[in-house]
Amino acid sequence: MAVLLIAVGIRIGYLVLRDKDETTTAQPTYETDVTTPATTSEAPPMPGAPIRCEPELRTLLCFPKDYNPEAVMDGVAAEGWDCLRKGEQWDDGGSVSTVRECREMDNVGQPYTIRARFSYETHDHQPTGGLQAFDLNVTTSAASSKGERTSMADTTPALITVFDIIAKHIWRDHPEQFREATDAFNQLKSQCESPAGHTFEGVTVTTPSGYQMSCSSTTPASVGDAITYNQSLEIRPANL
């Protein structure tokens, strides 16, 4: 009888162990979801289109790095303009506040004097910073005691003349953007001449590559019997 009980116990123990082993091995296996989240990558910009000034500055755009503002200014200087660098002084005592500035004057063939000022800006105001904008400003001045005369209507034709001089230098190595800028400026001309174009807010057009061209003016300045009108053209990336 004892032998029988031992045999039965061994048999029961075996069945328990087998059931336990089968239960363990029968557990379903679960695959861990290790799918990597999709990364959001931006499409590369079109050739010649604005780029981020710095990777972390999402809303601040600059001209592409193959634009060379110093070469642009050198080209304008070769047209006979006077060009100085930041901190240098003009003959009238004013100093240059931008990285580099070029000036020209004309009083031939019209009863007023045209003065033009051309400069560029960088986003950190340093020569090594990304190119952020080109700024062009023209003024027409006249003194009645000298028999001169001018009006706000003279500023836009002067701006058009100066744009034709500097445009080929800005887009010297970018023929497609030069074509776009020329087309955009042709659209902008009539707006520059309108009352809206002679306000501080101004008027703006955007090129297909993503650059804004804006005309604006500030209040005319009077000194004695002389009066000066002005109009500016700003060319910059259309920031996000």
Side-chain angles (χ1 to χ4, degrees):
M1 179 64 71
V3 173
L4 179 60
L5 289 175
I6 292 171
V8 171
I10 293 172
R11 177 63 180 169
I12 292 173
Y14 167 76
L15 291 175
V16 169
L17 290 174
R18 189 185 68 174
D19 289 344
K20 181 179 180 181
D21 182 66
E22 288 177 352
T23 301
T24 302
T25 58
Q27 291 297 320
T29 58
Y30 298 95
E31 293 184 1
T32 303
D33 185 2
V34 292
T35 304
T36 303
T39 57
T40 56
S41 58
E42 297 180 357
M46 313 168 42
I51 62 171
R52 291 189 186 185
C53 296
E54 294 179 7
E56 66 274 14
L57 298 178
R58 180 174 182 81
T59 60
L60 187 59
L61 299 179
C62 287
F63 285 76
K65 296 184 183 301
D66 60 347
Y67 275 78
N68 185 347
E70 281 298 294
V72 173
M73 305 307 278
D74 289 343
V76 173
E79 300 274 358
W81 293 43
D82 294 325
C83 298
L84 298 179
R85 297 186 180 278
K86 187 173 183 178
E88 296 180 334
Q89 287 193 330
W90 300 102
D91 292 340
D92 61 7
S95 60
V96 178
S97 60
T98 56
V99 180
R100 194 175 176 189
E101 182 177 288
C102 294
R103 292 185 178 184
E104 179 61 303
M105 182 185 76
D106 176 33
N107 59 1
V108 178
Q110 70 271 336
Y112 52 85
T113 298
I114 299 173
R115 290 181 175 84
R117 186 174 69 248
F118 178 58
S119 62
Y120 71 91
E121 302 173 19
T122 58
H123 81 275
D124 58 1
H125 305 292
Q126 298 297 323
T128 56
L131 175 60
Q132 191 174 3
F134 287 105
D135 295 302
L136 174 62
N137 176 268
V138 298
T139 64
T140 63
S141 303
S144 58
S145 61
K146 298 179 181 179
E148 299 173 336
R149 63 187 183 279
T150 188
S151 68
M152 184 66 81
D154 296 322
T155 59
T156 301
L159 186 71
I160 293 170
T161 298
V162 177
F163 176 81
D164 290 341
I165 294 172
I166 61 102
K168 61 181 179 290
H169 298 293
I170 292 177
W171 293 284
R172 54 187 293 157
D173 298 319
H174 299 81
E176 179 60 25
Q177 282 65 47
F178 176 66
R179 182 190 61 78
E180 291 180 1
T182 301
D183 291 344
F185 189 68
N186 286 335
Q187 299 175 28
L188 190 63
K189 288 177 184 177
S190 60
Q191 298 181 48
C192 291
E193 292 175 322
S194 71
H198 293 296
T199 63
F200 182 76
E201 292 79 13
V203 292
T204 299
V205 296
T206 303
T207 70
S209 290
Y211 295 91
Q212 287 184 347
M213 304 177 70
S214 305
C215 272
S216 63
S217 296
T218 56
T219 304
S222 297
V223 179
D225 70 336
I227 188 166
T228 299
Y229 297 92
N230 73 88
Q231 190 162 48
S232 297
L233 177 70
E234 182 185 63
I235 304 164
R236 68 166 58 244
N239 286 329
L240 301 176

